[in-house]
Amino acid sequence: MSGVSLTPATASVKVGATTALTVTVSPTDATDKSVSYASSNTAVATVNASGVVTGISAGSATVTVTTHDGSKTASTAVTVTAGEKPFLGHGYILVVKDKPKTIRLDFSTANPFKAEESK
């Protein structure tokens, strides 16, 4: 075995998302192409045996692939960014003295501020 490479050299992934890394062992006719993966910071990113990286929390980690005999390594710098938070909108409750009413707020419509009186 003359070498191992890992692509891409840098990768970005959002928290909860995944991205795949590709390993190339050379020469192409090497008899043992088995490798293992490791993350330098599993609190930020994990990697499975197939090279799929999962973002755990915002930050940076290095994923390293090592050949079975341990003689060759390659790395990818991984940046994990926070995922987008869903918009929940704002809700208001209207209280009319001596005349309680229940108002239903529907944030799933095209008009997120639409309110309807419950019947």
Side-chain angles (χ1 to χ4, degrees), residues 49-106:
S50 300
V52 176
V53 177
T54 301
I56 304 299
S57 65
S60 298
T62 300
V63 171
T64 302
V65 62
T66 303
T67 57
H68 182 250
D69 67 2
S71 66
K72 306 293 181 189
T73 63
S75 298
T76 293
V78 177
T79 301
V80 179
T81 56
E84 295 179 17
K85 294 182 181 178
F87 172 74
L88 298 178
H90 299 282
Y92 298 94
I93 298 174
L94 175 64
V95 178
V96 179
K97 187 177 180 181
D98 298 329
K99 293 184 182 182
K101 295 198 181 236
T102 302
I103 305 294
R104 181 178 65 87
L105 301 177
D106 183 1

